[in-house]
Amino acid sequence: MKIPRSHPRYESLVRRERLVRGWKEGIVVPEGFIAQGRGEAWDYLFGEETSAPGLVAERAAAARLLAASRPVISVNGNVAALAAREVVRLAKAIPARIEVNLFHRTEARVRRIVRVLERAGASEVLGIRPNARIPGLESKRALSHRDGVYGADVVLVPLEDGDRAEALTRMGKVVVSIDLNPLSRTSQRAAIPVVDELTRALPNIEKFVRELKGKPDEAARIRKSYHRNGNLAAVFSFLEWRLGQLRQGSASPAKGRPGAGKSKHRT
Ligand code: ATP
């Protein structure tokens, strides 16, 4: 389907189309549509733009990923369908390894997702023939790689489910999540919860990685000054402010909100 660029929901519709295509190609499972819908509902509230606290978390995520000795990005079907290129670009910038990890795992689907990432420019993607198990997880989600998520010190988990985020945290890993739902167990468990839409968050984090690469003192300062609870509180303050604006009729339900990304709710 050709979506006109002028459509007010253009980006959202493009994301839906990508997921549907991913489903037809056997990359996305139907449950992935439900997850996307849940995220979209939150994105309405955020005005479909990155909030100021979201940006702060993205900068902290970049600073943390740069300081990691074994950073890994975990990829599932939705992430591959929506943002394969963005994942690969970020992985190269850090540099970090990429591992495919699926809740509804079949070997064929893992192989298809690995191929999508390779086509997007990744050279070595983990996921096929896992050689370790994340303790405390019953499902196939536990399957992992010693050189990948299992052995990582910092794991970026976009669109993760709460159980796995919790299990990774229990293993002592620094979990950086990307999830539009600040109430999800993933956001609640992550050391750095990035509350933003995936296809906006990944390029933002990449931009900060590139900016901070030659500035170790600045990156260290950002790591020190970031406080997850304060940042999540700022996300909720931002939502309160948005709802207030909507109540007064001085903000559009989505897009075109004046001062996007420049709110005073910085933490
Ligand atoms: P949890 O188990 O962490 O409480 P959950 O059961 O909602 O959360 P899933 O059903 O796996 O977990 O959904 C994944 C999460 O990803 C949802 O919270 C949803 O808000 C979020 N999400 C979906 N699509 C996007 C997207 N494109 N960008 C950012 N977040 C998204």
Side-chain angles (χ1 to χ4, degrees):
M1 192 179 101
K2 182 99 178 88
I3 303 158
R5 271 203 167 268
S6 57
H7 194 289
R9 315 219 66 79
Y10 176 77
E11 277 128 20
S12 157
L13 292 177
V14 167
R15 285 196 285 271
R16 287 182 187 184
E17 281 297 305
R18 282 196 200 146
L19 285 175
V20 171
R21 204 184 316 140
W23 170 68
K24 286 180 183 158
E25 290 167 359
I27 290 161
V28 172
V29 289
E31 289 81 352
F33 298 150
I34 299 168
Q36 175 71 11
R38 187 157 16 201
E40 281 188 357
W42 281 100
D43 213 17
Y44 253 75
L45 295 176
F46 284 106
E48 296 182 296
E49 284 170 316
T50 302
S51 68
L55 263 186
V56 169
E58 283 159 1
R59 206 164 47 131
R64 196 64 200 79
L65 285 161
L66 277 173
S69 350
R70 294 177 309 282
V72 177
I73 304 176
S74 177
V75 171
N76 65 18
N78 277 32
V79 174
L82 291 171
R85 236 178 305 152
E86 289 84 347
V87 165
V88 174
R89 283 180 61 97
L90 176 60
K92 284 187 175 165
I94 297 169
R97 304 204 74 167
I98 302 174
E99 180 175 315
V100 175
N101 182 275
L102 305 178
F103 189 84
H104 303 278
R105 181 186 174 103
T106 66
E107 296 316 305
R109 195 155 85 91
V110 174
R111 273 197 299 274
R112 280 195 286 269
I113 293 172
V114 167
R115 269 203 302 276
V116 167
L117 291 160
E118 284 171 349
R119 276 205 303 271
S123 47
E124 201 191 346
V125 181
L126 300 166
I128 299 165
R129 284 188 291 280
N131 55 15
R133 284 191 77 91
I134 294 163
L137 288 179
E138 296 294 318
S139 69
K140 288 184 178 173
R141 277 232 97 169
L143 297 174
S144 182
H145 282 258
R146 280 189 220 111
D147 289 346
V149 168
Y150 186 85
D153 55 346
V154 181
V155 193
L156 175 63
V157 289
L159 321 190
E160 185 61 85
D161 74 279
D163 288 351
R164 187 157 172 269
E166 195 168 357
L168 293 173
T169 302
R170 266 202 312 270
M171 284 178 85
K173 299 180 192 310
V174 174
V175 172
V176 180
S177 63
I178 300 175
D179 187 333
L180 274 159
N181 179 359
L183 300 176
S184 74
R185 286 174 306 152
T186 303
S187 295
Q188 294 293 325
R189 299 291 182 278
I192 305 184
V194 171
V195 181
D196 195 8
E197 202 284 320
L198 175 77
T199 62
R200 295 194 300 263
L202 289 171
N204 283 347
I205 298 174
E206 186 206 328
K207 185 188 75 150
F208 286 127
V209 163
R210 293 189 189 281
E211 272 175 27
L212 291 172
K213 231 174 178 174
K215 298 180 188 160
D217 292 349
E218 174 70 356
R221 191 194 62 73
I222 290 165
R223 282 192 295 278
K224 206 156 163 244
S225 64
Y226 171 80
H227 296 290
R228 74 171 298 285
N229 292 348
N231 184 257
L232 272 185
V235 168
F236 290 115
S237 301
F238 176 79
L239 285 171
E240 261 176 30
W241 173 81
R242 269 278 298 163
L243 290 173
Q245 297 286 104
L246 288 165
R247 202 163 39 230
Q248 289 162 21
S250 54
S252 64
K255 290 276 175 197
R257 177 174 51 79
K262 297 189 199 88
S263 147
K264 59 182 159 49
H265 303 288
R266 283 189 190 276
T267 296

